[in-house]
């Protein structure tokens, strides 16, 4: 009891010191492209050179478009000129760019850099008084970033409440107690806040890039993984309370017996996410230590704070199903014993049929499209997307987002001439010379929309052309160039990091099970499960009209489904290793399936539900991630862990555990019935 009080006191002190910092996480959160993009990418280097050579530039530009069907009037032009003069108050440099009319006479456009997102709000406010029939919109990079910020303004709070709500409901259904569910929920919320505080310190002092996407996923990950650890621990604690009169002793035994599986799970996820340190995308690389921090904090909270609270609260917290000392441990012989019997009857036919179904589901991957444009990012209409569409109807496709070049000033004429000769470039103009006279800034307007495949191909041709100019040292950046560099970095990250994560899982399984055959088969099952999850998700996305996924989605899906999905197999196989040593391979595996069925299923439902809350967000990518992880976790819970793995393990036989001798001990009990043992 004293130990529990001491542990709780330490956490209260830590909370007093760290909790105020959790609310300051937004202070270190950034969407600056220079921080998010690969540092070696040409678009990043161009942006950094532009900022250094032209102070006040290199900032996102707002593009204001005015459209009147049938043609703009003189009154419209007067309004636009008045707006342009007013925009000078928020424009970098104190003046907006010139008014550009479309060839069809139906649109006017003004573009200028702005210092921050607040400036975009002022621009939108000024446009509210536009004459009737004159449509207006703010787009460009600044408009797009402002829309993301505005739409996601309350995302973190919404997500936190939604995650807490779904976890509360699922815990209430799991425990059927009006009190018990509060304890793991409070622990998960505490873990989330402690993680936010530590990530704030990392962003402030360790130069870790923190983005809104990273903090969003971090919240979901902490709630999901932390609650899973809590479910496993509480299930074992309830069992030990029947065997030990002193609840401190019961908790000590419960922690000791459940900790290896929890630690293995946390280690798998932690080492897996740290593989992201090898990523080229800077936001992806930074997510590695952020996610690892969340898992480590969750592990610490759920194995120290949670046990301390449960011990101090006493047995009554389980009311109305209070575990009594000396009472027979309740054996759940119902559904999971029947499932075990079903698996044990024809294991070979079962695992082969299950594998075929998973492979067939994987065919749905063909419906996915890699690459997500700005018009495909949101679930509703967005001003910057509307503005881009208006510009594309009345101007050359790349007008709103020209490619930006910085080259040696002495070669400006040669660089401009080389750029104009490139197929897909409508025009190229030198816009500014640096104060020291060394560099010149050039804007190259593309003929195709900035996010199109044709525009991306033009960037490659443009780079090749200006790089060939002797002495120019030219760099090509801008929105389209950024998309090109992001796509290539993401392709490289997918190809390099996905195998690394699988190797990590394989090594953890080898160390945990002290075998080689079982880990290889389990790693293969994880890969098949991932393909099935992506395929089924692809069918869902096609049905709802969102088949395009962002470049990093395959890697995110792989990361979470492999590291989190394998958790349930770890929980099953660590128990199986225990049982096989006593009962033999077949009965040991079926006993483990029966014993862990309830708690693992509850954990899977909680994790799937937690990631599922991402569907409440207005971003298509968030919805897609929520669906992919939820579908994958449910497949792992109800198909892979329940049917495929135990059936395959039985069919392979004792050599599954080769070269381990401990797990190959002869069965101590006759294999006539499937033993039913409580989890």
């Amino acid at each position: 009891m004293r130990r529990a009080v001491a542990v709780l006191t330490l956490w209260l002190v830590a909370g007093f010191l760290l909790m105020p910092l959790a609310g300051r996480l937004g202070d270190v959160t950034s969407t600056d492209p220079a921080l998010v993009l690969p540092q070696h990418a040409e678009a990043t280097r161009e942006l950094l050179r532009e900022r250094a050579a032209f102070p006040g530039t290199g900032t996102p530009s707002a593009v204001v478009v005015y459209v009147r069907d049938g043609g703009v009037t003189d009154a419209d032009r007067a309004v636009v000129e008045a707006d342009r003069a007013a925009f000078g108050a928020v424009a970098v440099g104190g003046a907006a760019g010139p008014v550009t009319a479309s060839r069809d006479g139906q649109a006017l456009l003004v573009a200028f850099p702005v210092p921050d997102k607040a400036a975009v709000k002022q621009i939108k406010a000024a446009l509210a008084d536009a004459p009737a029939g004159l449509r207006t919109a703010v787009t460009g990079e600044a408009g797009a970033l402002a829309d993301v910020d505005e739409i996601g303004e309350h995302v973190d709070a919404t997500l936190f409440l939604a995650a807490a709500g779904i976890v509360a409901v699922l815990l209430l259904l799991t425990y059927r107690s009006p009190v018990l569910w509060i304890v793991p929920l409070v622990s998960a919320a505490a873990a989330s806040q402690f993680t936010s505080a530590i990530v704030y310190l990392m962003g402030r002092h360790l130069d870790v890039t923190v983005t809104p996407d990273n903090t969003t996923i971090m919240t979901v990950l902490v709630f999901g993984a932390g609650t899973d650890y809590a479910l496993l621990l509480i299930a074992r604690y309830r069992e030990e309370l029947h065997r030990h009169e002193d609840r401190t002793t019961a908790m000590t035994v419960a922690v000791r017996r459940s900790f290896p599986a929890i630690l293995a799970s946390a280690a798998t996820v932690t080492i897996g996410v740290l593989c992201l340190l090898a990523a080229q995308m800077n936001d992806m690389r930074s997510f590695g230590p952020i996610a690892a921090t969340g898992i480590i904090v969750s592990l610490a909270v759920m194995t120290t704070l949670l046990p301390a609270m449960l011990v101090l609260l006493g047995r009554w917290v389980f009311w109305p199903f209070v575990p009594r000392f000396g009472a027979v441990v309740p054996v759940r012989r119902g559904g999971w014993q029947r499932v075990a019997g079903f698996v044990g009857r024809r294991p070979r036919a079962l695992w082969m049929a299950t594998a075929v179904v998973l492979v067939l589901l994987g065919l749905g991957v063909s419906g996915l499209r890699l690459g997500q444009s700005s018009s495909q990012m949101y679930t509703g209409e967005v001003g910057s997307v509307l503005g881009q569409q208006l510009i594309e109807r009345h101007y050359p496709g790349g007008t709103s987002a020209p490619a930006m070049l910085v080259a040696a000033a002495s070669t400006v004429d040669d660089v401009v001439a080389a750029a104009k000769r490139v197929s897909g470039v409508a025009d190229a103009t030198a816009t500014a010379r640096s104060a020291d006279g060394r560099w010149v800034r050039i804007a190259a307007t593309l003929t195709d929309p900035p996010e199109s495949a044709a525009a991306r191909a033009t960037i490659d041709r443009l780079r090749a052309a200006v790089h060939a100019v002797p002495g120019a040292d030219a760099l090509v950046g801008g929105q389209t160039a950024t998309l090109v560099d992001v796509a290539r970095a993401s392709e490289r990250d997918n190809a390099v990091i996905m195998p690394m994560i699988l190797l990590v899982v394989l090594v953890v399984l080898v160390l945990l099970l002290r075998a080689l055959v079982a880990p290889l088969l389990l790693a293969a099952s994880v890969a098949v499960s991932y393909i099935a999850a992506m395929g089924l998700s692809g069918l869902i996305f096609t049905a709802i009209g969102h088949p395009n996924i962002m470049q990093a989605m395959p890697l995110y899906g792989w990361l979470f489904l492999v590291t989190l999905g394998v958790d349930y197999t770890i929980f099953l196989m660590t128990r199986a290793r225990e049982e096989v040593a006593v009962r033999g391979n077949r009965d040991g595996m079926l006993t483990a399936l029966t014993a862990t069925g309830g708690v693992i299923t509850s954990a899977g439902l909680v994790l799937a539900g937690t990631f599922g809350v991402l569907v409440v967000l207005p971003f298509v990518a968030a919805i897609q991630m929520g669906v992919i992880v939820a579908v994958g976790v449910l497949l792992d819970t109800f198909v892979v862990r329940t049917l495929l793995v135990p059936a395959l393990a039985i069919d392979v036989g004792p050599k599954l555990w080769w070269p381990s001798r401990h797990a190959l001990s002869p069965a101590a009990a006759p294999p006539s019935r499937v033993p039913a043992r409580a989890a």
Side-chain angles (χ1 to χ4, degrees):
M1 192 69 69
R2 290 179 180 175
R3 185 186 305 171
V5 172
V7 169
L8 184 59
T9 301
L10 287 174
W11 278 109
L12 289 174
V13 171
F16 177 78
L17 296 174
L18 292 176
M19 286 304 182
L21 300 179
R24 299 175 60 184
L25 182 58
D27 296 346
V28 297
T29 301
S30 174
T31 56
D32 185 351
L35 297 177
V36 174
L37 298 175
Q39 295 303 300
H40 73 282
E42 184 168 343
T44 309
R45 291 184 285 125
E46 185 279 333
L47 180 59
L48 295 175
R49 180 187 290 180
E50 187 176 350
R51 288 180 178 178
F54 305 91
T57 63
T59 57
S61 290
V63 179
V64 185
V65 59
Y66 303 78
V67 174
R68 183 182 292 276
D69 295 334
V72 294
T73 64
D74 291 339
D76 293 335
R77 292 187 179 90
V79 168
V80 174
E81 284 294 345
D83 285 349
R84 175 181 172 275
F87 294 156
V90 297
V92 173
V99 177
T100 303
S102 64
R103 291 182 179 178
D104 60 10
Q106 298 182 18
L108 300 172
L109 180 150
V110 182
F112 50 96
V114 293
D116 50 37
K117 298 165 189 171
V120 178
K121 289 186 178 181
Q122 292 179 254
I123 296 170
K124 290 181 177 180
L127 296 176
D129 297 327
L134 184 65
R135 289 182 290 166
T136 63
V138 183
T139 185
E141 187 178 0
L145 290 173
D147 283 341
V148 170
D149 188 62
E150 182 179 346
I151 294 171
E153 187 174 2
H154 303 294
V155 159
D156 286 343
T158 300
L159 192 65
F160 184 90
L161 294 175
I166 192 67
V167 169
V169 170
L170 292 172
L171 288 175
L172 187 59
L173 294 174
T174 298
Y175 293 128
R176 294 173 294 164
S177 166
V179 181
L180 180 59
W181 64 274
I182 298 175
V183 185
L185 180 60
V186 168
S187 300
S192 177
Q193 293 301 295
F194 279 119
T195 301
S196 294
I198 296 173
V199 170
Y200 164 77
L201 294 173
M202 292 166 61
R204 177 68 69 191
H205 302 291
L206 299 181
D207 200 29
V208 173
T209 300
V210 183
T211 68
D213 290 344
N214 286 350
T215 58
T216 295
I217 302 172
M218 177 194 74
T219 299
V220 174
L221 181 63
V222 170
F223 264 95
T227 307
D228 274 7
Y229 304 154
L231 286 167
L232 200 66
L233 176 69
I234 292 174
R236 200 68 186 236
Y237 177 50
R238 186 200 295 266
E239 184 178 336
E240 297 303 330
L241 284 173
H242 290 284
R243 301 191 178 106
H244 303 278
E245 184 174 9
D246 179 61
R247 58 182 185 270
T248 301
T249 303
M251 180 58 76
T252 301
V253 175
V255 170
R256 185 172 67 245
R257 292 186 177 177
S258 61
F259 187 74
I262 296 175
L263 178 62
S265 169
T268 302
V269 181
T270 300
I271 301 174
V273 297
L274 288 177
C275 290
L276 296 179
L277 290 172
Q280 289 186 349
M281 286 297 297
N282 197 36
D283 59 336
M284 179 72 75
R285 182 168 61 251
S286 295
F287 181 65
I290 290 173
T293 298
I295 293 298
I296 293 170
V297 171
S298 297
L299 174 67
V301 167
M302 295 307 175
T303 56
T304 56
L305 177 60
L306 174 64
M309 289 194 294
L310 288 172
V311 168
L312 292 174
L313 289 171
R315 295 173 184 264
W316 70 271
V317 76
F318 288 91
W319 185 86
F321 305 101
V322 179
R324 305 292 182 187
F325 170 64
V328 177
V329 179
V331 177
R332 299 177 183 177
R333 297 180 179 275
W336 285 105
Q337 188 173 7
R338 288 194 292 273
V339 170
F342 172 71
V343 171
R345 278 194 289 273
R346 299 185 63 189
R348 178 170 298 178
L350 180 60
W351 77 256
M352 293 180 69
T354 303
V356 169
V357 170
L358 292 174
V359 170
L360 290 176
L361 287 176
L363 298 178
V365 170
S366 61
L368 295 176
R369 300 290 180 267
L370 197 59
Q372 194 174 77
S373 67
S374 58
S375 63
Q376 299 163 337
M377 288 173 55
Y378 306 97
T379 56
E381 186 176 274
V382 176
S384 59
V385 175
L386 174 61
Q388 180 61 39
Q389 292 170 345
L390 291 174
I391 291 173
E392 289 174 6
R393 292 174 195 163
H394 301 283
Y395 294 88
T399 301
S400 65
M404 301 307 302
L405 292 75
V406 178
S410 59
T411 62
V412 58
D413 293 337
D414 292 337
V415 173
V416 169
K420 287 183 176 180
R421 288 195 296 268
V422 173
S423 173
V425 174
D427 193 17
T429 307
T431 61
R433 186 181 293 263
S434 63
D436 61 6
R438 182 182 177 190
W439 303 105
V440 67
R441 217 167 150 253
I442 301 169
T445 302
L446 308 185
T447 57
D448 299 294
E451 297 178 341
S452 65
R456 298 185 192 194
T458 299
I459 290 295
D460 285 334
R461 293 193 297 271
L462 179 60
R463 282 176 169 171
V466 299
H467 290 171
V469 176
D473 193 16
L475 295 175
V476 179
Q479 181 179 340
T480 306
T482 297
L483 294 175
V484 170
D485 291 342
V486 166
R488 287 176 179 160
S490 297
E491 289 174 5
R492 178 266 177 196
D493 290 347
N494 291 345
V496 172
I497 297 175
M498 290 171 73
M500 288 177 61
I501 294 172
L502 186 61
L503 181 61
V504 164
V505 169
L506 181 62
V507 171
V508 171
L509 289 172
V510 168
L511 295 176
L512 181 67
L513 301 178
R514 301 172 208 171
L516 290 177
V517 177
L520 288 171
L521 293 178
L522 295 176
S525 73
V526 166
V528 172
S529 177
Y530 167 78
I531 295 172
M534 292 297 291
L536 182 54
S537 298
L539 296 176
I540 295 173
F541 300 154
T542 301
I544 64 177
H546 295 297
N548 291 78
I549 60 175
M550 65 179 189
Q551 300 281 348
M553 189 64 73
L555 179 53
Y556 273 121
W558 178 263
L559 173 68
F560 292 127
L561 292 183
V562 171
T563 59
L564 294 174
V566 79
D567 282 0
Y568 308 121
T569 300
I570 286 176
F571 296 157
L572 170 68
M573 296 303 285
T574 51
R575 186 63 177 257
R577 191 174 188 280
E578 241 180 82
E579 301 293 345
V580 166
V582 177
R583 304 173 183 273
N585 187 70
R586 181 183 182 279
D587 281 5
M589 182 60 64
L590 296 179
T591 298
L593 177 60
T594 304
T596 61
V599 65
I600 295 180
T601 300
S602 298
L605 290 173
V606 168
L607 186 61
T610 306
F611 270 90
V613 302
L614 289 172
V615 302
V616 306
L617 302 184
F619 301 107
V620 171
I623 294 172
Q624 291 173 333
M625 183 175 293
V627 170
I628 288 172
V629 178
V631 165
V633 167
L634 292 176
L635 284 175
D636 277 322
T637 303
F638 291 101
V639 179
V640 177
R641 183 266 316 182
T642 302
L643 303 176
L644 178 63
V645 169
L648 183 59
I650 293 172
D651 189 34
V652 172
K655 57 189 175 185
L656 177 78
W657 305 97
W658 184 88
S660 172
R661 293 184 177 275
H662 173 72
L664 298 179
S665 301
S672 55
R673 305 178 105 185
V674 177
R677 183 172 167 188

